[in-house]
Amino acid sequence: MSQIFDLDMIKAVYDRYPSRVAAARKILGRPLTLTEKILYTHLWEGEATTVFERGTSYVDFAPDRVAMQDATAQMALLQFSTTGRKQVAVPSTVHCDHLIQARVGAKADLQEALLKSNEVFNFLESISNKYGIGFWKPGAGIIHQVVLEQYAFPGGMMIGTDSHTVNAGGLGMVAIGVGGADACDVMSGLAWELKFPKLIGVKLTGKLSGWASPKDVILKVAGILTVKGGTGAIVEYFGPGAESMSCTGKGTIANMGAEIGATTSTFSYDESMRRYLKGTGRTEVAAMADKIAEHLQGDPEVYADPAKYFDQVIEIDLSELEPHVNGPFTPDLAHPLSEFADAVKKNGWPAKLEVGLIGSCTNSSYEDLTRASSVAQQAIDKKLKAKSEFTITPGSEQVRYTAERDGLLGKFDAIGGVVLANACGPCIGQWARHTDDPDRKNSIITSFNRNFAKRNDGNPNTHSFVASPEIVTALAIAGDLTFNPMTDELLNEEGKKVKLDEPKGVELPPKGFDVKDAGYKAPAEDGSQVEVVVKPDSERLQLLEPFPAWEGKNITDAVLLIKAQGKCTTDHISMAGPWLRYRGHLDNISNNTLTGAINAFNGEADKVKNQLTGAYGSVPDTQRAYKAAGVPSIVVGDHNYGEGSSREHAAMQPRHLGVRAVLVKSFARIHETNLKKQGMLALTFANESDYDKIQEDDRISFTDLTEFASGRPVTIAFRHADGSEDIILAHHSYNAQQIAWFKAGSALNIIRAEQAG
């Protein structure tokens, strides 16, 4: 595409950079990290006047843009449409990538999606047209890849309604995943609030070689930091190793930072970003960035003595880094390739590999496809065919069209691969997997980012592993997880032993990118006459009713809906897959609320005791009974509750069904914010061991909620069936503004009142 989007906005951001960085340096009185430069140049107040405390200060920011995908955009825009605004206040886009199910191949799957989800696509297109939002049609590509190719720019700040928005960190942005209510605020012209993050520095030395790739950097980091080690922090990568990697390779690393709970990850502006901007038709942006390049990287003193400026520093020598395979069931279980075969045997994981899947928002760049196709070419030359099923998901129509033109896709086809639509597909559970037994124990390997149980195909016994596209391709050819392409041989169709050579990659297409129809539709200049239609009897879309305000009284005699045990991600709270179709209909999608959470009292999913009848039933049915009877309820959870996707449905559904509070050992950042935005109480145990005191038949009363205040714990009494009582303290992180959201019933209720006033 020849046009450069929002050039005036980027110019305005760059014009104010020097003075804002100078103000921040003056107030902090020391050299600055890149992360601090980006954050301090995007303060809502303008030039910095205060030093913010990492991990404690709540700060108002002014992001440059908003990006939304079709599953989360529905709720974000349904909320926005109730604010009374005529147009979005910052450049915003919608990308249709979630509602396309992978079944047989790109063309047929896209047609099927257009038939099944036409009503939703039409709604998103018309509401985008009305409010001045750029619209990317189904098949245009995965949101994060399209953003990297078209919108991301070094030193910018963006929020997006998807946890992998962080992908744009590969092009030097601070790009953060949020819930739709946050997006709604920013599109409404309001500040966006974030607790000032801690900073983790990752120093990369050396250079990748052989089978090792940027994916292996983040797979190793995930092993070091675990799924919650990055919570509340921004990860800043630097050093000669960072500069030696491609821009899209940096994007892969930033993308999977969501799997360590990081707020986002970012890299300094360098030659590889300059090449990528020029290669994607944005030479003017590169020229503007060059003029202020010193501000688009951390100060030299910071990188010379990182321990002085970061809260934590990790160092990785890329020259010594070997390929990794992470999993199963969690993205932080890291295995160097040389140790993986032993781990497979020792743990009894199925060694036979059934499917290898490459692509997704994490690894679908031109470089990724060239490295994987170089392995496929070897298979052709050495007379090997893929022993496993093998699928390829291009990241965007621009990448797909170019890869097809350059013969890359034909190589996958020749070894038995199937090219799927430019969409999320199997990565988010949108996969009609070809299997005769959907519950059988089996293994798959992907170049995606997440691999929680049931994530890809709904089968809790699918052992899903994560690796780079080239390792996935090699293992799919072998059909065996214990195969190590660096050392082992394979038997070809002629019965000869052959060995795979190291993959070769090309960073950018030598003949440049090309595309016939990128899939973009610009909005109307004036959308005031555009009609947005939502049929009253629609199964897929439902206009929103405001949530009720707090009654101003203590919540008393509440019941326990569920005490969730162990990992409870947003997938457990509001499953994706088949439920994606109801993402625009709050009442219908609420029928999946917490159906994946494990009940601590019986070890089962979706089976809780109804305190009104004594019978056991599904979580949503039980909660609807409480709502009908006017009985308040609470949810109790474990550590890192709500990790994973940014979907705010996981907060809106319990709220819609009448749950009043969520009390857990700890929250994932986005989910905690989403609960606050929807007027819910998000509380953490002052003493984690109090989790064990909570019993199934408890009656629960808040004794001092009427004095709800910032920094002040909440007291909760749990009256047990035998008449005894435990009184516990719960902490919260609400500030005055967030308490106002709770009292009003939601943040949106306050926006609506202000617009009306």
Side-chain angles (χ1 to χ4, degrees), residues 442-456:
N442 72 97
S443 290
I444 66 172
I445 189 164
T446 80
S447 71
F448 307 162
N449 40 44
R450 293 225 160 112
N451 61 340
F452 303 136
K454 302 201 278 191
R455 169 86 181 174
N456 302 117

Side-chain angles (χ1 to χ4, degrees), residues 211-394:
W211 285 88
S213 73
K215 179 69 160 233
D216 300 307
V217 178
I218 186 60
L219 292 177
K220 182 167 178 67
V221 169
I224 296 168
L225 285 174
T226 78
V227 287
K228 57 179 191 211
T231 303
I234 290 182
V235 184
E236 183 172 324
Y237 291 84
F238 60 93
E243 289 172 34
S244 72
M245 286 188 292
S246 67
C247 176
T248 50
K250 294 177 172 77
T252 293
I253 293 171
N255 178 296
M256 251 194 96
E259 272 48 69
I260 54 171
T263 302
T264 192
S265 307
T266 195
F267 289 79
S268 289
Y269 178 59
D270 63 10
E271 183 53 42
S272 72
M273 294 187 194
R274 188 177 293 114
R275 286 195 299 271
Y276 186 72
L277 284 169
K278 289 178 175 175
T280 49
R282 292 174 286 172
T283 303
E284 283 173 77
V285 178
M288 285 171 7
D290 285 342
K291 284 185 188 153
I292 59 155
E294 65 183 291
H295 303 308
L296 302 177
Q297 47 198 261
D299 289 333
E301 300 92 329
V302 169
Y303 298 150
D305 186 7
K308 198 171 158 187
Y309 301 96
F310 291 98
D311 298 296
Q312 182 182 354
V313 179
I314 295 168
E315 193 164 332
I316 297 172
D317 182 350
L318 300 184
S319 306
E320 292 174 6
L321 183 68
E322 69 169 296
H324 276 60
V325 181
N326 286 23
F329 305 128
T330 183
D332 59 357
L333 184 57
H335 314 274
L337 188 58
S338 58
E339 298 167 20
F340 182 56
D342 286 343
V344 171
K345 292 167 191 162
K346 191 176 117 211
N347 292 292
W349 300 327
K352 182 190 174 200
L353 179 63
E354 302 208 359
V355 196
L357 306 101
I358 66 168
S360 83
C361 67
T362 323
N363 275 105
S364 58
S365 66
Y366 187 82
E367 183 180 42
D368 286 325
L369 293 179
T370 56
R371 279 178 69 85
S373 74
S374 80
V375 178
Q377 182 63 53
Q378 290 181 55
I380 298 165
D381 296 343
K382 296 177 185 188
K383 300 191 165 45
L384 295 162
K385 276 262 181 11
K387 286 210 169 76
S388 306
E389 264 191 71
F390 183 47
T391 69
I392 301 92
T393 306

Side-chain angles (χ1 to χ4, degrees), residues 124-137:
L124 289 173
E125 189 175 332
S126 65
I127 202 166
S128 297
N129 199 18
K130 184 173 184 66
Y131 294 119
I133 297 166
F135 181 73
W136 290 81
K137 296 185 291 200

Side-chain angles (χ1 to χ4, degrees), residues 711-728:
R712 180 191 164 132
V714 175
T715 312
I716 314 173
F718 288 83
R719 195 171 75 252
H720 308 308
D722 64 4
S724 66
E725 193 171 64
D726 275 304
I727 293 174
I728 72 159

Side-chain angles (χ1 to χ4, degrees), residues 386-549:
K387 286 210 169 76
S388 306
E389 264 191 71
F390 183 47
T391 69
I392 301 92
T393 306
S396 70
E397 176 56 16
Q398 180 165 278
V399 163
R400 188 211 64 77
Y401 187 92
T402 307
E404 184 172 49
R405 178 200 70 190
D406 295 351
L408 305 181
L409 302 186
K411 293 175 188 180
F412 297 130
D413 190 44
I415 63 162
V418 175
V419 178
L420 299 173
N422 313 322
C424 302
C427 186
I428 56 159
Q430 279 284 56
W431 184 23
R433 186 172 169 190
H434 310 152
T435 175
D436 46 7
D437 179 359
D439 299 319
R440 183 172 44 79
K441 193 173 163 182
N442 72 97
S443 290
I444 66 172
I445 189 164
T446 80
S447 71
F448 307 162
N449 40 44
R450 293 225 160 112
N451 61 340
F452 303 136
K454 302 201 278 191
R455 169 86 181 174
N456 302 117
D457 62 0
N459 177 4
N461 297 308
T462 292
H463 294 57
S464 177
F465 299 90
V466 179
S468 67
E470 47 271 50
I471 293 292
V472 172
T473 306
L475 291 178
I477 290 164
D480 182 356
L481 284 181
T482 64
F483 171 69
N484 180 345
M486 293 170 73
T487 55
D488 300 348
E489 293 179 316
L490 291 168
L491 215 56
N492 74 3
E493 290 168 354
E494 295 172 349
K496 290 182 186 154
K497 284 188 171 178
V498 293
K499 190 167 179 290
L500 294 173
D501 306 317
E502 293 171 354
K504 298 267 188 294
V506 182
E507 185 179 322
L508 291 163
K511 291 189 280 188
F513 283 107
D514 196 9
V515 67
K516 267 220 178 82
D517 174 11
Y520 175 70
K521 190 161 186 267
E525 283 291 314
D526 172 10
S528 56
Q529 299 309 304
V530 177
E531 276 280 323
V532 179
V533 181
V534 174
K535 299 199 300 268
D537 60 347
S538 170
E539 272 194 355
R540 302 285 301 269
L541 296 162
Q542 179 187 43
L543 296 174
L544 291 175
E545 296 290 322
F547 289 133

